[in-house]
Amino acid sequence: MADWLNGVWNVLDPGVFLFLTLGVVGGGVIGALPGLTATMGIAILTPVTFWFEPTKGFAMLIGLWNSAIFAGGITAILINTPGTPASIASTFDGYPLYKQGKGGLALGINVIYSAFGGIFGTLVLMFFSFPLARFTIGFGATEYFALALFGLTMMAAVSTGSILKGLISGFTGILLSTVGIDPMLAMKRFTLGSVYLIDGVLFLPVMIGMFGLGEVLNQIFEHRPSVEAEERSQRRVNLSLGRVIPNWGEIRSSLKLTVICAAIGTVVGAIPAAGGDIASIISWGQSRKWSKHPEEYGKGSLEGLAVSTVSNNSVLGGALTTMLTLGIPGDAATAVLIGSLMMYGMQPGPKMFTEFRPFVINIILLMLLANLLFLVIGLVTAKASAKVLAVNQRTVWVSVCVLCVVGSFALNNSYFDVLLMFAAGLIGFLFRRCGYAPGPFILGLLLGGMLEANLRRALVISQGDYAIFVQRPVSCVLLIVTVLTLAWPLIKGRLFPAGGK
Amino acid sequence: MKRFLILAPALALIAGMAAAGQYPARQIAITVPAAPGGASDMTTRIFTSQMEKILNVPFLVANRPGASCSIGMEYVKNRAPDGYNLCYIPVESVMIRSLGITDISSNDFAFFGRAMTIPAALTVRKEAPWNTFDEFVAHAKANPRAIRVGNSGTGSIWHIAAAAIETATGVSLTHVPFEGGAPAVAALMGANIDAVTVSPSEVQAGVDSGEFKVLAILGEKRSGVVPEVKTAAELGYDNIKVLGWGAFAAPRNTPPEIIAVLEKAAAQAINSDEVKKFFKERGFDHSYLDAAGMTAFAKEQLAFYDEMIPKLGIAQK
């Protein structure tokens, strides 16, 4: 207990608090800009923090990390472009909410549930770190395969309109994920002789183009000045009247699902090779199944937004669990954080909790404090940020285009990525015009690679024996759940005939 | 036009010589052909922080990752050879040509110093039945393809490390590629595979906690992370020598005067206490080589991989 009091004393040090605040503010900016990810922000700041005292340096990195994941949701809600891949699922309900003039409330939900998720994950780290890490480290290729397959079943859920068109869009994404060097034999596939396609069709530029530019092009195409004027005046009225904080009824009705999704996020975060993107997609798809109002999902459901924002932030506590207890990164950002700890002369792993116990306590407290800090900052600025876009529609379009270009270039300092983003934007536009939802496409591109690599890896490990997928308990359970998810409409039809509720 | 083409290199050379008088006169750009946060990136950033003090000009570090580092290296190769465009050159520079990824190789660059090396460490779980490298080899010989060895990707340096064991001892292993070293280590800890050949710092956490044991270091010298573990050469396998390394270079036609300035500054930077301390903490081995030494080393490495990689039965196309 004395350790903890000492830790509180350490993190409330004005210097530490200042660096934490700097991190939170910087993370907010990095997270909200599409293309700049939390991982990139941490990687770029790490050499800077090398010269600071460990607690201060880590305060900055942790502040940045937590707040960037939350801020990714802001752009997802306001311009339909996820600021970081972890916020893909936040576009499904967040953007429709904004269009309905509930932008303030959507941003409020984003910040409140992000903080809730972050604190939930950190509490798990505090109390169950060792058992959780021991469970997730057993995840192998078979389990990752099953997870990816399970994630892909969400394709139908994120199809707006025709399911068939959604599936076509999704499988196009999977097909595109096969471009590049194959994961087992290093053979080039469909690279068209270009060195830029060796690593495949990069996910981030495509995501930015599909959601950002594609949406802008579509809006320009559909634009009618009279309609816009009406919409804007309505949105302005809504915004000025709109609240930021959800009422108790809204919180209570989705309480159970948000807690479950916080748990899903933490566990997925603790799994070494799965992060916020897949966690929030799975949470969103699953809670749609369990929800009392599944028909609202994808059309502006407060609950849908809440579960996706809660799970991508709870991932952080889970990822940190695996990193601190086993020395194995739980996601890309923690991989960089390990490097930073090593620079301070600390080797993450079981000994971390005995040899550097005070520092582990500091990290946990910094995590909690970072969440509280962005909660306050986020709530105070929510209404203002929602109004930022209440300007002329043309200004919004131009700014989004600029953000898309800058974001896709900043990723790898590569012009090719910008061209890829433009191509994806055009395709996204055509998809929208023809009634194909971009969500399933992105899902296919994101999970296709994971699905293939792990299927083949599992078969290499089992020497070609397919039984490995059902012999391992976790993978078996995941596959059964996947089959049930797909078959549920049929089963429901049998159990409750005549479509009765 | 033709005449201009002939003149251009001559002009560049003259311009280069004129500039060498006061080189460096302005900001120097350096490309890291890998993503931020990794070994290449961190090494370059700590190196440039020292170089800035020595040469009194700012260094601008830009990451251009992709295609096993070839995108970043190709970018620098095509820049003016004026000493203001430098590159971090990793071991991939001697491998990507044989892997069929690109035509460029270490020959396209003028090296001015090597900073560090990272050997491969053959690591197994503590309950594994093998306690020595010889026992491991004996088991692999008796049970072909039974031992599953994780690496950081097909055609990656740690894949070659495991393949080098096969070539040198005549055993056959099952190679399991992962997306990077960390997932491979996670799979070893989760008992999904039997061994890994990755860098010592990647397995350090498991070694410290007693979960892993390192059977051999496959580099040219012992690793600072596990100094008690012998190298394969010490164990009688001279030809198992696979290591990652990081060097710094400029495009090939950079004038020798400029390379000389960079070489002198780099020697001071790489041998500074700050850089040494950083390498020790990150588990890299400080292994300085001067320009001539590094050029010879790269030639030798290129020849080694040109011969080794086509035998693996991968890539090629």
Side-chain angles (χ1 to χ4, degrees), chain A residues 183-207:
Chain A
M184 292 294 125
L185 297 170
M187 299 286 180
K188 288 189 227 168
R189 297 189 301 203
F190 317 114
T191 58
L192 313 175
S194 163
V195 74
Y196 291 101
L197 288 175
I198 294 258
D199 291 332
V201 178
L202 292 186
F203 177 70
L204 274 172
V206 173
M207 179 188 90

Side-chain angles (χ1 to χ4, degrees), chain A residues 26-37:
Chain A
V29 175
I30 288 174
L33 291 174
L36 297 183
T37 62

Side-chain angles (χ1 to χ4, degrees), chain A residues 184 188 199 343 347 413 457, chain B residues 63 67 100 154 177 192 204 281:
Chain A
M184 292 294 125
K188 288 189 227 168
D199 291 332
M343 284 200 319
Q347 171 68 50
N413 291 311
R457 188 174 299 131
Chain B
N63 299 78
T154 298
N192 292 312
Q204 193 181 358
E281 274 159 3

Side-chain angles (χ1 to χ4, degrees), chain A residues 134-154:
Chain A
R134 274 292 142 207
F135 168 65
T136 55
I137 192 67
F139 272 58
T142 45
E143 285 76 22
Y144 289 123
F145 167 78
L147 261 185
L149 196 66
F150 186 51
L152 282 173
T153 60
M154 306 301 162

Side-chain angles (χ1 to χ4, degrees), chain A residues 384-410:
Chain A
S385 1
K387 277 185 187 155
V388 166
L389 294 188
V391 291
N392 185 316
Q393 199 64 34
R394 282 179 204 87
T395 321
V396 177
W397 291 335
V398 172
S399 338
V400 174
C401 288
V402 170
L403 282 180
C404 288
V405 172
V406 172
S408 52
F409 180 77

